[in-house]
mmCIF file of all heavy atoms in Angstrom:
data_model
loop_
_atom_site.group_PDB
_atom_site.id
_atom_site.type_symbol
_atom_site.label_atom_id
_atom_site.label_comp_id
_atom_site.label_asym_id
_atom_site.label_seq_id
_atom_site.Cartn_x
_atom_site.Cartn_y
_atom_site.Cartn_z
ATOM 1 N N LEU A 1 -12.563 20.604 -8.992
ATOM 2 C CA LEU A 1 -12.780 21.301 -10.258
ATOM 3 C C LEU A 1 -13.861 20.640 -11.097
ATOM 4 O O LEU A 1 -14.059 21.001 -12.259
ATOM 5 C CB LEU A 1 -11.471 21.368 -11.046
ATOM 6 C CG LEU A 1 -10.340 22.151 -10.355
ATOM 7 C CD1 LEU A 1 -9.079 22.130 -11.199
ATOM 8 C CD2 LEU A 1 -10.761 23.602 -10.099
ATOM 9 N N GLY A 2 -14.567 19.690 -10.520
ATOM 10 C CA GLY A 2 -15.720 19.114 -11.202
ATOM 11 C C GLY A 2 -15.515 17.752 -11.814
ATOM 12 O O GLY A 2 -16.450 17.205 -12.410
ATOM 13 N N TYR A 3 -14.324 17.162 -11.664
ATOM 14 C CA TYR A 3 -14.062 15.849 -12.245
ATOM 15 C C TYR A 3 -14.255 14.799 -11.165
ATOM 16 O O TYR A 3 -13.309 14.342 -10.518
ATOM 17 C CB TYR A 3 -12.659 15.811 -12.855
ATOM 18 C CG TYR A 3 -12.543 16.733 -14.049
ATOM 19 C CD1 TYR A 3 -12.285 18.098 -13.871
ATOM 20 C CD2 TYR A 3 -12.751 16.260 -15.341
ATOM 21 C CE1 TYR A 3 -12.216 18.960 -14.956
ATOM 22 C CE2 TYR A 3 -12.684 17.119 -16.432
ATOM 23 C CZ TYR A 3 -12.421 18.468 -16.231
ATOM 24 O OH TYR A 3 -12.369 19.318 -17.307
ATOM 25 N N LYS A 4 -15.491 14.426 -10.952
ATOM 26 C CA LYS A 4 -15.864 13.560 -9.840
ATOM 27 C C LYS A 4 -15.258 12.155 -9.976
ATOM 28 O O LYS A 4 -15.213 11.589 -11.067
ATOM 29 C CB LYS A 4 -17.394 13.445 -9.748
ATOM 30 C CG LYS A 4 -18.094 14.789 -9.529
ATOM 31 C CD LYS A 4 -17.639 15.463 -8.236
ATOM 32 C CE LYS A 4 -18.353 16.779 -8.009
ATOM 33 N NZ LYS A 4 -17.843 17.489 -6.810
ATOM 34 N N GLY A 5 -14.830 11.637 -8.861
ATOM 35 C CA GLY A 5 -14.286 10.288 -8.836
ATOM 36 C C GLY A 5 -12.864 10.165 -9.349
ATOM 37 O O GLY A 5 -12.344 9.063 -9.477
ATOM 38 N N PHE A 6 -12.211 11.312 -9.648
ATOM 39 C CA PHE A 6 -10.836 11.271 -10.149
ATOM 40 C C PHE A 6 -9.896 11.223 -8.952
ATOM 41 O O PHE A 6 -9.473 12.244 -8.429
ATOM 42 C CB PHE A 6 -10.535 12.503 -11.005
ATOM 43 C CG PHE A 6 -9.280 12.375 -11.832
ATOM 44 C CD1 PHE A 6 -9.365 12.211 -13.198
ATOM 45 C CD2 PHE A 6 -8.017 12.413 -11.247
ATOM 46 C CE1 PHE A 6 -8.212 12.098 -13.973
ATOM 47 C CE2 PHE A 6 -6.865 12.286 -11.999
ATOM 48 C CZ PHE A 6 -6.956 12.132 -13.375
ATOM 49 N N HIS A 7 -9.596 10.010 -8.499
ATOM 50 C CA HIS A 7 -8.714 9.807 -7.357
ATOM 51 C C HIS A 7 -7.606 8.838 -7.762
ATOM 52 O O HIS A 7 -7.838 7.635 -7.871
ATOM 53 C CB HIS A 7 -9.472 9.219 -6.166
ATOM 54 C CG HIS A 7 -10.567 10.083 -5.652
ATOM 55 N ND1 HIS A 7 -11.587 9.602 -4.859
ATOM 56 C CD2 HIS A 7 -10.821 11.410 -5.813
ATOM 57 C CE1 HIS A 7 -12.421 10.593 -4.562
ATOM 58 N NE2 HIS A 7 -11.968 11.686 -5.135
ATOM 59 N N ILE A 8 -6.420 9.350 -8.013
ATOM 60 C CA ILE A 8 -5.285 8.492 -8.337
ATOM 61 C C ILE A 8 -4.096 8.937 -7.499
ATOM 62 O O ILE A 8 -3.635 10.070 -7.616
ATOM 63 C CB ILE A 8 -4.931 8.547 -9.828
ATOM 64 C CG1 ILE A 8 -6.065 7.984 -10.678
ATOM 65 C CG2 ILE A 8 -3.652 7.757 -10.096
ATOM 66 C CD1 ILE A 8 -5.800 7.976 -12.162
ATOM 67 N N THR A 9 -3.636 8.047 -6.633
ATOM 68 C CA THR A 9 -2.431 8.288 -5.852
ATOM 69 C C THR A 9 -1.501 7.098 -6.012
ATOM 70 O O THR A 9 -1.902 6.043 -6.506
ATOM 71 C CB THR A 9 -2.752 8.487 -4.355
ATOM 72 O OG1 THR A 9 -3.407 7.313 -3.863
ATOM 73 C CG2 THR A 9 -3.659 9.699 -4.137
ATOM 74 N N GLN A 10 -0.275 7.293 -5.617
ATOM 75 C CA GLN A 10 0.708 6.218 -5.650
ATOM 76 C C GLN A 10 1.171 5.923 -4.226
ATOM 77 O O GLN A 10 1.105 6.798 -3.359
ATOM 78 C CB GLN A 10 1.905 6.611 -6.507
ATOM 79 C CG GLN A 10 1.546 6.851 -7.969
ATOM 80 C CD GLN A 10 1.223 5.564 -8.699
ATOM 81 O OE1 GLN A 10 2.116 4.785 -9.022
ATOM 82 N NE2 GLN A 10 -0.040 5.331 -8.961
ATOM 83 N N PHE A 11 1.628 4.712 -3.985
ATOM 84 C CA PHE A 11 2.073 4.354 -2.649
ATOM 85 C C PHE A 11 3.454 3.729 -2.692
ATOM 86 O O PHE A 11 3.924 3.261 -3.734
ATOM 87 C CB PHE A 11 1.090 3.389 -1.980
ATOM 88 C CG PHE A 11 0.896 2.076 -2.701
ATOM 89 C CD1 PHE A 11 1.857 1.073 -2.630
ATOM 90 C CD2 PHE A 11 -0.252 1.842 -3.448
ATOM 91 C CE1 PHE A 11 1.685 -0.136 -3.295
ATOM 92 C CE2 PHE A 11 -0.437 0.636 -4.119
ATOM 93 C CZ PHE A 11 0.536 -0.352 -4.038
ATOM 94 N N GLN A 12 4.094 3.734 -1.544
ATOM 95 C CA GLN A 12 5.319 2.975 -1.323
ATOM 96 C C GLN A 12 5.097 2.112 -0.088
ATOM 97 O O GLN A 12 4.378 2.516 0.835
ATOM 98 C CB GLN A 12 6.512 3.906 -1.088
ATOM 99 C CG GLN A 12 6.846 4.780 -2.295
ATOM 100 C CD GLN A 12 7.913 5.817 -1.982
ATOM 101 O OE1 GLN A 12 7.988 6.310 -0.869
ATOM 102 N NE2 GLN A 12 8.728 6.136 -2.962
ATOM 103 N N GLY A 13 5.705 0.938 -0.062
ATOM 104 C CA GLY A 13 5.502 0.065 1.086
ATOM 105 C C GLY A 13 6.518 -1.052 1.150
ATOM 106 O O GLY A 13 7.318 -1.247 0.227
ATOM 107 N N ILE A 14 6.491 -1.763 2.257
ATOM 108 C CA ILE A 14 7.380 -2.889 2.498
ATOM 109 C C ILE A 14 6.583 -4.187 2.407
ATOM 110 O O ILE A 14 5.498 -4.298 2.982
ATOM 111 C CB ILE A 14 8.026 -2.806 3.889
ATOM 112 C CG1 ILE A 14 8.813 -1.493 4.046
ATOM 113 C CG2 ILE A 14 8.921 -4.013 4.147
ATOM 114 C CD1 ILE A 14 10.069 -1.434 3.245
ATOM 115 N N LEU A 15 7.140 -5.176 1.699
ATOM 116 C CA LEU A 15 6.527 -6.490 1.580
ATOM 117 C C LEU A 15 7.576 -7.564 1.804
ATOM 118 O O LEU A 15 8.780 -7.293 1.764
ATOM 119 C CB LEU A 15 5.872 -6.674 0.211
ATOM 120 C CG LEU A 15 4.803 -5.650 -0.181
ATOM 121 C CD1 LEU A 15 5.427 -4.569 -1.074
ATOM 122 C CD2 LEU A 15 3.644 -6.304 -0.917
ATOM 123 N N ALA A 16 7.114 -8.786 2.020
ATOM 124 C CA ALA A 16 8.000 -9.927 2.202
ATOM 125 C C ALA A 16 7.481 -11.077 1.339
ATOM 126 O O ALA A 16 6.331 -11.062 0.885
ATOM 127 C CB ALA A 16 8.039 -10.340 3.678
ATOM 128 N N PRO A 17 8.306 -12.085 1.096
ATOM 129 C CA PRO A 17 7.821 -13.249 0.344
ATOM 130 C C PRO A 17 6.657 -13.928 1.064
ATOM 131 O O PRO A 17 6.624 -13.986 2.296
ATOM 132 C CB PRO A 17 9.044 -14.177 0.296
ATOM 133 C CG PRO A 17 10.220 -13.276 0.508
ATOM 134 C CD PRO A 17 9.744 -12.208 1.432
ATOM 135 N N ALA A 18 5.705 -14.421 0.306
ATOM 136 C CA ALA A 18 4.577 -15.155 0.894
ATOM 137 C C ALA A 18 5.108 -16.334 1.699
ATOM 138 O O ALA A 18 6.064 -17.000 1.304
ATOM 139 C CB ALA A 18 3.649 -15.655 -0.211
ATOM 140 N N GLY A 19 4.487 -16.571 2.852
ATOM 141 C CA GLY A 19 4.933 -17.635 3.725
ATOM 142 C C GLY A 19 5.813 -17.167 4.857
ATOM 143 O O GLY A 19 6.174 -17.954 5.743
ATOM 144 N N THR A 20 6.170 -15.887 4.861
ATOM 145 C CA THR A 20 6.965 -15.334 5.957
ATOM 146 C C THR A 20 6.182 -15.431 7.258
ATOM 147 O O THR A 20 4.978 -15.157 7.289
ATOM 148 C CB THR A 20 7.331 -13.868 5.671
ATOM 149 O OG1 THR A 20 8.088 -13.805 4.449
ATOM 150 C CG2 THR A 20 8.149 -13.268 6.804
ATOM 151 N N ASP A 21 6.845 -15.818 8.333
ATOM 152 C CA ASP A 21 6.193 -16.009 9.626
ATOM 153 C C ASP A 21 5.441 -14.754 10.059
ATOM 154 O O ASP A 21 5.958 -13.644 9.973
ATOM 155 C CB ASP A 21 7.249 -16.371 10.671
ATOM 156 C CG ASP A 21 6.629 -16.833 11.968
ATOM 157 O OD1 ASP A 21 6.241 -15.972 12.770
ATOM 158 O OD2 ASP A 21 6.528 -18.053 12.168
ATOM 159 N N ALA A 22 4.228 -14.952 10.532
ATOM 160 C CA ALA A 22 3.395 -13.825 10.942
ATOM 161 C C ALA A 22 4.031 -13.028 12.065
ATOM 162 O O ALA A 22 3.853 -11.800 12.148
ATOM 163 C CB ALA A 22 2.012 -14.325 11.369
ATOM 164 N N ALA A 23 4.783 -13.680 12.946
ATOM 165 C CA ALA A 23 5.451 -12.970 14.036
ATOM 166 C C ALA A 23 6.523 -12.026 13.505
ATOM 167 O O ALA A 23 6.718 -10.917 14.031
ATOM 168 C CB ALA A 23 6.059 -13.968 15.015
ATOM 169 N N ILE A 24 7.216 -12.437 12.446
ATOM 170 C CA ILE A 24 8.215 -11.573 11.828
ATOM 171 C C ILE A 24 7.541 -10.371 11.172
ATOM 172 O O ILE A 24 8.011 -9.238 11.285
ATOM 173 C CB ILE A 24 9.049 -12.366 10.801
ATOM 174 C CG1 ILE A 24 9.938 -13.377 11.524
ATOM 175 C CG2 ILE A 24 9.891 -11.438 9.939
ATOM 176 C CD1 ILE A 24 10.726 -14.286 10.605
ATOM 177 N N VAL A 25 6.432 -10.621 10.498
ATOM 178 C CA VAL A 25 5.686 -9.531 9.875
ATOM 179 C C VAL A 25 5.235 -8.523 10.928
ATOM 180 O O VAL A 25 5.335 -7.310 10.732
ATOM 181 C CB VAL A 25 4.475 -10.077 9.080
ATOM 182 C CG1 VAL A 25 3.588 -8.931 8.584
ATOM 183 C CG2 VAL A 25 4.946 -10.927 7.903
ATOM 184 N N ARG A 26 4.761 -9.018 12.072
ATOM 185 C CA ARG A 26 4.330 -8.105 13.143
ATOM 186 C C ARG A 26 5.497 -7.298 13.700
ATOM 187 O O ARG A 26 5.370 -6.096 13.965
ATOM 188 C CB ARG A 26 3.657 -8.900 14.267
ATOM 189 C CG ARG A 26 2.261 -9.384 13.941
ATOM 190 C CD ARG A 26 1.531 -9.834 15.193
ATOM 191 N NE ARG A 26 2.214 -10.945 15.857
ATOM 192 C CZ ARG A 26 2.000 -12.219 15.574
ATOM 193 N NH1 ARG A 26 1.117 -12.549 14.617
ATOM 194 N NH2 ARG A 26 2.638 -13.175 16.229
ATOM 195 N N THR A 27 6.632 -7.956 13.875
ATOM 196 C CA THR A 27 7.821 -7.254 14.367
ATOM 197 C C THR A 27 8.214 -6.128 13.423
ATOM 198 O O THR A 27 8.498 -4.997 13.854
ATOM 199 C CB THR A 27 9.004 -8.243 14.516
ATOM 200 O OG1 THR A 27 8.683 -9.211 15.517
ATOM 201 C CG2 THR A 27 10.283 -7.522 14.903
ATOM 202 N N LEU A 28 8.225 -6.427 12.138
ATOM 203 C CA LEU A 28 8.576 -5.413 11.139
ATOM 204 C C LEU A 28 7.547 -4.297 11.094
ATOM 205 O O LEU A 28 7.894 -3.110 11.027
ATOM 206 C CB LEU A 28 8.706 -6.069 9.765
ATOM 207 C CG LEU A 28 9.933 -6.964 9.558
ATOM 208 C CD1 LEU A 28 9.773 -7.783 8.288
ATOM 209 C CD2 LEU A 28 11.200 -6.114 9.486
#
């Protein structure tokens, strides 16, 4: 409609505490 650059979406996701083993993150 002519409002260039108007891109706003929301997301949902899964996170873990920093320091979580990379292998566990890959499994999840």
Side-chain angles (χ1 to χ4, degrees):
L1 298 179
Y3 294 83
K4 300 300 181 184
F6 194 108
H7 299 161
I8 295 181
T9 59
Q10 297 288 285
F11 61 76
Q12 296 173 327
I14 302 289
L15 303 98
T20 300
D21 191 278
I24 291 176
V25 172
R26 285 195 299 272
T27 296
L28 288 167

